């Protein structure tokens, strides 16, 4: 089932260039993974230090394989250096879970 992954991060004010560079590299790597459909990065209108990434995957298993990969974990570790708090994850399925 089509899966949407919401990743919310809050970054400190410094190092915007490095943060955007890492996020772009992370997205580029994800694009090469099985099941990746699309992604978008948004900045909060109320708090520009807060970013929300919405990734779309063909199946939950595809997302979980990418999430658990050593390569992604390296990027996460590099991003955490710039974050005020740990990233928050939410996963949603597109459509009805009741088969309607």
């Amino acid at each position: 089932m089509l899966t949407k992954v919401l990743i919310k991060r809050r970054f400190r004010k410094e190092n915007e260039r490095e943060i955007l560079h890492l996020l772009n590299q992370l997205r580029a790597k994800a694009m090469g993974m099985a099941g990746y459909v699309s992604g978008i990065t948004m900045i909060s209108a109320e708090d520009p230090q807060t970013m929300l990434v919405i990734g779309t995957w063909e199946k939950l298993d595809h997302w979980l394989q990418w999430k658990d990969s050593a390569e992604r974990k390296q990027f996460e570790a590099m991003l955490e250096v710039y974050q005020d708090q740990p990233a928050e994850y939410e996963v949603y399925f597109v459509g009805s879970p009741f088969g309607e």
Side-chain angles (χ1 to χ4, degrees):
M1 181 175 277
L2 199 62
T3 303
K4 295 278 187 177
V5 179
L6 284 66
I7 306 169
K8 184 177 178 181
R9 295 182 177 95
R10 186 166 196 297
F11 294 102
R12 292 187 296 278
K13 289 190 181 198
E14 66 275 359
N15 302 307
E16 289 88 353
R17 278 187 155 176
E18 291 87 346
I19 292 164
L20 291 175
H21 180 71
L22 286 170
L23 288 171
N24 286 334
Q25 285 184 308
L26 183 60
R27 166 88 38 79
K29 295 291 185 182
M31 290 172 71
M33 298 301 295
Y36 179 85
V37 176
S38 66
I40 185 169
T41 301
M42 299 180 289
I43 299 171
S44 170
E46 295 175 4
D47 177 9
Q49 302 315 123
T50 299
M51 300 179 88
L52 179 68
V53 173
I54 301 176
T56 304
W57 296 82
E58 290 177 6
K59 296 190 278 185
L60 177 60
D61 288 346
H62 290 133
W63 157 247
L64 293 175
Q65 288 173 359
W66 171 235
K67 182 182 181 208
D68 294 336
S69 72
E71 189 170 28
R72 186 179 184 287
K73 287 180 181 181
Q74 287 177 332
F75 278 103
E76 282 297 317
M78 289 186 279
L79 285 168
E80 284 175 3
V81 170
Y82 303 113
Q83 292 175 200
D84 280 343
Q85 57 200 32
E88 298 174 23
Y89 294 84
E90 292 185 54
V91 178
Y92 294 86
F93 295 126
V94 177
S96 172
F98 307 111
E100 297 175 8

